[in-house]
Structures are given as structure tokens and as C-alpha cells.
């Protein structure tokens, strides 16, 4: 840390999220942004002058400048791995955007480098931006599941189609909507948060069966609609539907257990609590059409504002100062990638995929998609396209 006791931070990637992170970090007491990186020289010069920081177009030079304690990695997906590995090898703390990588192999590589560096620098912090975990409604839902309030879990279904994106969203970024530039579509980009929550709540399934549509409603080559079934040890079954094409969209999670049902929608939990176990009632009920009695309660979080990025940034800085683990260790990003890559792999194979699968197997499929791609971005005038990342968090 610097002489003023502040954590010196660099932001690698000055797109929509990088700019948002600069804005949020600039309000924090215990850190100072000292440098930024962008591939475009004109852009980095303009922003460096505006922000009063050092600007780089060579991230290695930025990491070697000797004035950084930590970096935020907010680049396109494939660059997450190369940038993160270089920073960790220099014992620089890293906070990486979601998804931590484009595929399982890259995530495992990042984790291996981190574990190796920790032998030299035990207090090195490696965190990820899965900000949904900071929100009280998700913490409440997880506590209900962990405390066994629903008893044995039987089923969950999650419809998450409120990630609507017009074609303009894909057109303004050359890397978006392509296998080579982004590595995936609605699962890897928009639903990375939902799938982090799915793992956080239920753990990893033992098998996935999925059907994905690639460029069904958009001029892109990656998935924009997905239907998946998930099988867990113990009998839990899950279903997951995702889309960037539905308006109005839906975000509804149902979790069903022997002692009732939890429904989350519109920032409200409706909890149906059975008077007795439905599974036990099945066995001993004497009425052919008997029903289990239940109570209903509602819990809402209408006053919760913001998506939680600032909580993650603040926790990252504080973890460095306190020499502790962050709220969201980046190593856990491997789990949501198992779900994301597994759904795509199942769809490509048109068959069930068992977890954990061989990362090399998925990587071979991805490289084939990249090598055989004939996709070209549609020609469009982007001059009048409005891009405000905060609109994504409505």
C-alpha cells in the first residue's frame, strides 16, 4: 500500500464496467485508482487525462510499473485468464469480472497459479464479481435452504428471461455474440450471475440435459435461448430457462421441498410452509384426495437498491487490508462455468452430460466452433446507439 495507507488499484479494461468501477472506487476511502488500461490509445489518453491517472495500452507494462497493489480485470472474457495470471504471478491482488473465464480449463489454470503464488504470498487476494451474493434476498433464500426449512429438496425451476437485449447491444461490441470474442451467449454473459446463485444454493448437479438455440432471434452465433434439466444426488431435479429475446421477461425461482415451497419473484419471497412433510403424508394419508395443509408468508425487499457491485469492490479492498479471504473467492467461479459449459456441451452433443466433465472435451468443441465460424457482424451505424451499463441493472 502507498504512503497514505491506501490500496493502489489499476483497472484493466475501460469499457462500460471499467468506467463504472472507477466511479465507485473513487468514492472509497481506503483505495486509490492510479492507472488504467485500454487497447485503444486514443481512448486511454482521454480517460487518463480526465481521471488524473496513468494510462497504458500494454497491460504488462502497467503491471510492471511497480505502483500497484491490486487490479480489477474488466476485459472481454478470454482476456480474463491471461491478464489475471500475469497479475497473480507478480503477487498483485486480483478482482476479476464475471464470468471468471470463458471455459473450465482457463478457470482451473487461474486457480492453479493462485494456489502456487499463495505459497510465496499467503495474503494474496483473488476475488470475483458475483455481486448477487451481497443482496439480502439471496442471502435469505440461501439460509432457508441451508437451514433445511423446506426439508428434503425435491424440485426447483428457474425462468430467467428478463435479460432482454436488442441487436444494437451486440452490434456495438465487436467481441459480443461470437465464439471467438465472447465464448458464449446468454449463459456465459447475462446468466453467469444466475448460475452462480444456482451453484451457491444447490451445489453442482450430477448431470445436465440441455437444448440451446444459437442466434435464434439475434444476428449472433452464440446461444440466445436455453432450456436445461439438472439432476442432483438425492433426487433433486432442476429446470432452467434463459433467454435474451423475451419482452416482458420473467425472473421467477421456485424451490419445492417436502415441507413446502419458496417462490422468489419481483424482489419478494412467498413462503408456503407445510404443517407436515408431504413425503410422509403421501405414505400415511387415509384420504384418496387428501391435501397437506400449509401457511403462507411474504417477505419483500422493495427498498433494496443497486446491483451490489460496490459491496464487492469494498469487500475486495477491505480483504487486502485485513489480510483475509474475500466474500466471493474467484476459485468458486469454476462451479458456474461447469454449469454454463455443461449446458452448451449437452446441447452440442444432443445428449446428457455428467459432471464433472473433462474440460479438454469442452475446449475441443469450442475450438471447432471458432475454427468453423463463418459469422460476420452485421454492418450498422452505432453513432446514435445509447450505451449506459446502469440500464442493465433495472
Amino acid at each position: 500500500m502507498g504512503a497514505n495507507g491506501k490500496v493502489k488499484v489499476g483497472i484493466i479494461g475501460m469499457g462500460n464496467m471499467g468506467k463504472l468501477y472507477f466511479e465507485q472506487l473513487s468514492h472509497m476511502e481506503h483505495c486509490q485508482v492510479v492507472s488504467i488500461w485500454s487497447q485503444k490509445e486514443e481512448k486511454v489518453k482521454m480517460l487518463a487525462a480526465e481521471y488524473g491517472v496513468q494510462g497504458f495500452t500494454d497491460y504488462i507494462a502497467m503491471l510492471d510499473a511497480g505502483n500497484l497493489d491490486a487490479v480489477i480485470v474488466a476485459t472481454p472474457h478470454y482476456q480474463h485468464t491471461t491478464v489475471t495470471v500475469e497479475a497473480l504471478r507478480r503477487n498483485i491482488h486480483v478482482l476479476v469480472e464475471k464470468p471468471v473465464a470463458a471455459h473450465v480449463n482457463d478457470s482451473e489454470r487461474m486457480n492453479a497459479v493462485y494456489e502456487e503464488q499463495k505459497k510465496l504470498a499467503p495474503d494474496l487476494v483473488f476475488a470475483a464479481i458475483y455481486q448477487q451474493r451481497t443482496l439480502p434476498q439471496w442471502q435469505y433464500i440461501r439460509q432457508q435452504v441451508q437451514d433445511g426449512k423446506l426439508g428434503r429438496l425435491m424440485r426447483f425451476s428457474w425462468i430467467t428471461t428478463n435479460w432482454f437485449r436488442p441487436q444494437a447491444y451486440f452490434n456495438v461490441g465487436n467481441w459480443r455474440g461470437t465464439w471467438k470474442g465472447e465464448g458464449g451467449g446468454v449463459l456465459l454473459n447475462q446468466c453467469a450471475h444466475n448460475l452462480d446463485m444456482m451453484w451457491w444454493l444447490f451445489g453442482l448437479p450430477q448431470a445436465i440435459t440441455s437444448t440451446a438455440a444459437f442466434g435464434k432471434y439475434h444476428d449472433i452465433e452464440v446461444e440466445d435461448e436455453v432450456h436445461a434439466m439438472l439432476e442432483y444426488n438425492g433426487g433433486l431435479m432442476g429446470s432452467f430457462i434463459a433467454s435474451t429475446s423475451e419482452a416482458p421477461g420473467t425472473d421467477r425461482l421456485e424451490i419445492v421441498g417436502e415441507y413446502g415451497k419458496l417462490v422468489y419473484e419481483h424482489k419478494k419471497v412467498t413462503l408456503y410452509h407445510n404443517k407436515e412433510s408431504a413425503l410422509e403424508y403421501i405414505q400415511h394419508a387415509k384420504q384418496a384426495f387428501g391435501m397437506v395443509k400449509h401457511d403462507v408468508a411474504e417477505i419483500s425487499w422493495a427498498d433494496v437498491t443497486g446491483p451490489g457491485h460496490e459491496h464487492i469492490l469494498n469487500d475486495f479492498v477491505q480483504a487486502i487490508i485485513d489480510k483475509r479471504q474475500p466474500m466471493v473467492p474467484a476459485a468458486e467461479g469454476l462451479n458456474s462455468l461447469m454449469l454454463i459449459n455443461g449446458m452448451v456441451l449437452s446441447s452440442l452433443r444432443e445428449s446428457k452430460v455428467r459432471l464433472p466433465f473433462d474440460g479438454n472435451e469442452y475446449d475441443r468443441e469450442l475450438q471447432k466452433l471458432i475454427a468453423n465460424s463463418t459469422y460476420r457482424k452485421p454492418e450498422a451505424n452505432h453513432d446514435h446507439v445509447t450505451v449506459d451499463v446502469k440500464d442493465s441493472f433495472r
Side-chain angles (χ1 to χ4, degrees):
M1 290 186 285
N4 58 4
K6 293 187 176 184
V7 175
K8 304 296 184 182
V9 180
I11 302 176
I12 301 181
M14 291 307 297
N16 298 324
M17 297 311 300
K19 291 175 187 175
L20 177 67
Y21 297 148
F22 180 88
E23 178 187 330
Q24 293 179 336
L25 288 166
S26 65
H27 299 307
M28 295 183 187
E29 182 182 355
H30 300 298
C31 69
Q32 179 184 356
V33 179
V34 296
S35 59
I36 59 172
W37 172 91
S38 176
Q39 287 180 316
K40 298 176 182 177
E41 189 167 352
E42 184 179 334
K43 179 180 183 179
V44 83
K45 280 182 178 178
M46 179 187 71
L47 291 175
E50 180 183 342
Y51 296 157
V53 299
Q54 284 183 285
F56 292 87
T57 55
D58 179 347
Y59 72 85
I60 296 294
M62 178 177 171
L63 297 173
D64 286 339
N67 62 341
L68 287 177
D69 299 308
V71 292
I72 316 292
V73 179
T75 61
H77 303 155
Y78 286 112
Q79 292 175 311
H80 288 186
T81 302
T82 52
V83 173
T84 294
V85 164
E86 292 295 341
L88 291 174
R89 283 179 174 156
R90 289 162 173 77
N91 295 330
I92 295 172
H93 307 286
V94 176
L95 176 60
V96 62
E97 247 293 0
K98 63 80 188 169
V100 292
H103 51 81
V104 164
N105 275 5
D106 272 0
S107 178
E108 289 178 336
R109 181 178 162 221
M110 295 157 77
N111 293 344
V113 170
Y114 175 58
E115 290 302 320
E116 193 63 31
Q117 288 304 118
K118 275 209 304 182
K119 296 173 185 176
L120 304 172
D123 298 324
L124 190 62
V125 176
F126 183 28
I129 303 177
Y130 289 105
Q131 74 275 2
Q132 296 293 319
R133 296 196 200 181
T134 71
L135 301 180
Q137 58 265 43
W138 290 112
Q139 293 176 354
Y140 173 84
I141 292 169
R142 186 171 190 249
Q143 201 63 52
Q144 293 296 305
V145 171
Q146 288 197 323
D147 289 351
K149 293 296 177 66
L150 297 173
R152 176 183 167 186
L153 296 184
M154 302 160 66
R155 174 185 69 83
F156 72 83
S157 64
W158 200 343
I159 302 173
T160 176
T161 59
N162 63 333
W163 293 110
F164 184 78
R165 293 291 185 268
Q167 184 65 38
Y169 168 83
F170 298 99
N171 291 349
V172 295
N174 287 332
W175 61 284
R176 285 179 176 157
T178 68
W179 294 115
K180 184 178 180 180
E182 190 165 19
V186 62
L187 294 174
L188 193 66
N189 191 326
Q190 287 77 28
C191 289
H193 292 300
N194 304 87
L195 294 166
D196 177 64
M197 285 293 100
M198 187 185 291
W199 165 79
W200 204 49
L201 291 172
F202 309 113
L204 285 176
Q206 60 180 357
I208 296 173
T209 307
S210 176
T211 299
F214 302 96
K216 184 176 182 180
Y217 298 109
H218 300 87
D219 190 355
I220 57 177
E221 63 179 354
V222 295
E223 80 281 357
D224 57 1
E225 183 180 89
V226 178
H227 297 253
M229 295 296 298
L230 303 101
E231 303 170 47
Y232 292 77
N233 288 325
L236 172 65
M237 291 292 294
S239 65
F240 183 73
I241 299 173
S243 174
T244 50
S245 311
E246 296 185 14
T250 298
D251 186 14
R252 178 183 174 90
L253 171 65
E254 289 187 7
I255 307 173
V256 179
E258 63 179 312
Y259 283 102
K261 176 171 68 173
L262 182 153
V263 178
Y264 175 65
E265 190 172 19
H266 304 308
K267 293 187 179 179
K268 180 179 75 176
V269 164
T270 305
L271 196 58
Y272 302 81
H273 188 259
N274 292 342
K275 299 289 188 180
E276 60 180 301
S277 164
L279 296 177
E280 291 177 8
Y281 187 85
I282 287 170
Q283 301 303 321
H284 70 66
K286 303 303 181 186
Q287 296 171 290
F289 296 98
M291 292 293 291
V292 180
K293 293 180 180 179
H294 66 267
D295 295 324
V296 183
E298 290 187 352
I299 306 97
S300 63
W301 291 268
D303 57 338
V304 173
T305 58
H309 292 97
E310 201 154 356
H311 291 291
I312 293 290
L313 293 173
N314 188 67
D315 176 76
F316 175 60
V317 171
Q318 205 58 48
I320 294 168
I321 294 169
D322 296 342
K323 299 182 178 180
R324 61 165 173 81
Q325 277 288 299
M327 181 186 298
V328 185
E332 294 181 359
L334 175 64
N335 297 302
S336 56
L337 280 172
M338 275 284 175
L339 294 170
I340 293 165
N341 294 169
M343 288 180 190
V344 174
L345 187 59
S346 172
S347 182
L348 293 172
R349 282 183 180 173
E350 299 183 345
S351 65
K352 182 182 292 188
V353 168
R354 298 198 174 274
L355 273 62
F357 56 84
D358 183 355
N360 292 326
E361 204 172 339
Y362 180 78
D363 196 31
R364 283 192 294 271
E365 292 291 341
L366 180 60
Q367 294 311 314
K368 275 194 274 184
L369 290 167
I370 293 170
N372 296 332
S373 173
T374 58
Y375 173 75
R376 296 293 177 270
K377 280 277 182 180
E379 292 186 15
N381 185 337
H382 313 317
D383 293 345
H384 302 293
V385 176
T386 302
V387 181
D388 185 348
V389 71
K390 292 176 184 175
D391 288 342
S392 178
F393 311 131
R394 289 192 295 263

